[in-house]
Amino acid sequence: MHDLTEGVARFRRDVFPTKARLFAELASTHRPTTLFIGCSDARVVPELITQSEPGDLFVIRTAGNLVPAYTPGPDGVAAGIEYAVAVLGVGEIVVCGHSACGAMTALAEAHDLDAVPAVADWLRHADASLARTGTPGTAGTAGTAGTAGADVAALVRENVRAQLTNLATHPSVARALAAGGLTLRGWVYDIPTGAVEQLAPTDPTAVPVA
Ligand SMILES: [Zn+2]
């Protein structure tokens, strides 16, 4: 098991001194340029795959990188979005899905989620994503892992697009979009190759980010 205490010691000894000026500046400054909404999956590390420095990204990570459509009331995801857009003034929001996403796999293959009711409830926020890709569970009955993988990949992409649509229902996002001060991007990160594709919201074609 990874020793977190040893990691902190190594950070303070080897890493912090090399960025001391940056951290001194960040002590009183918080001006991220991007709100990055990714999956909680441990393999998807926003700062690593974008090679960002501390202070660059305001990050929200949820299971399945889901962004519930706006509804009034206490909501941690909505509060984070509003703070990033209306207070910090980020200029772009990236919603990043990824290959082999456990949440999308559970939906695409219609896994039994009775033992994890909170997960099942949360994943209802992907209902529209699922509706766009067809009937859940067909991948499993098709009988080949390749077909199942393809269906999960399709759902991952449609889910990113659906979350971009949900994002636009948040008043702070809608205001910033109307004012022309905000760009929304949909990405998909491929774990085995490190590739990142950018999805056009209304166009199914994907192009590499870099
Ligand atoms: Zn995931």
Side-chain angles (χ1 to χ4, degrees):
M1 182 179 163
H2 177 55
D3 185 339
L4 297 184
T5 305
E6 167 55 24
V8 170
R10 196 145 43 87
F11 168 71
R12 295 202 62 200
R13 185 183 64 232
D14 301 336
V15 179
F16 187 89
T18 68
K19 297 181 185 294
R21 285 180 60 178
L22 173 62
F23 287 116
E25 184 186 332
L26 293 176
S28 58
T29 307
H30 187 204
R31 275 199 292 269
T33 56
T34 300
L35 165 57
F36 189 103
I37 302 177
C39 185
S40 299
D41 192 303
R43 301 166 294 178
V44 184
V45 182
E47 291 81 0
L48 183 66
I49 65 178
T50 63
Q51 286 296 286
S52 297
E53 291 286 2
D56 289 343
L57 304 180
F58 191 89
V59 176
I60 296 173
R61 293 173 72 173
T62 67
N65 43 273
L66 296 175
V67 180
Y70 177 76
T71 53
D75 178 332
V77 175
I81 292 167
E82 186 177 72
Y83 186 73
V85 174
V87 178
L88 299 176
V90 298
E92 67 174 355
I93 303 177
V94 171
V95 175
C96 186
H98 67 97
S99 63
C101 181
M104 295 303 109
T105 301
L107 292 173
E109 300 179 357
H111 291 181
D112 180 358
L113 299 177
D114 285 351
V116 283
V119 172
D121 282 347
W122 173 252
L123 294 184
R124 294 296 304 273
H125 292 300
D127 279 355
S129 318
L130 204 52
R132 294 180 184 196
T133 53
T135 310
T138 52
T141 56
T144 67
T147 304
D151 281 6
V152 172
L155 180 57
V156 166
R157 281 170 171 70
E158 288 307 325
N159 183 57
V160 168
R161 290 195 182 92
Q163 305 319 307
L164 290 172
T165 302
N166 286 351
L167 256 180
T169 66
H170 290 251
S172 58
V173 174
R175 262 193 304 276
L177 286 172
L182 183 65
T183 302
L184 305 186
R185 304 186 197 284
W187 287 6
V188 175
Y189 170 61
D190 187 54
I191 294 172
T193 65
V196 178
E197 290 177 335
Q198 178 158 297
L199 309 179
T202 56
D203 181 339
T205 55
V207 295
V209 169

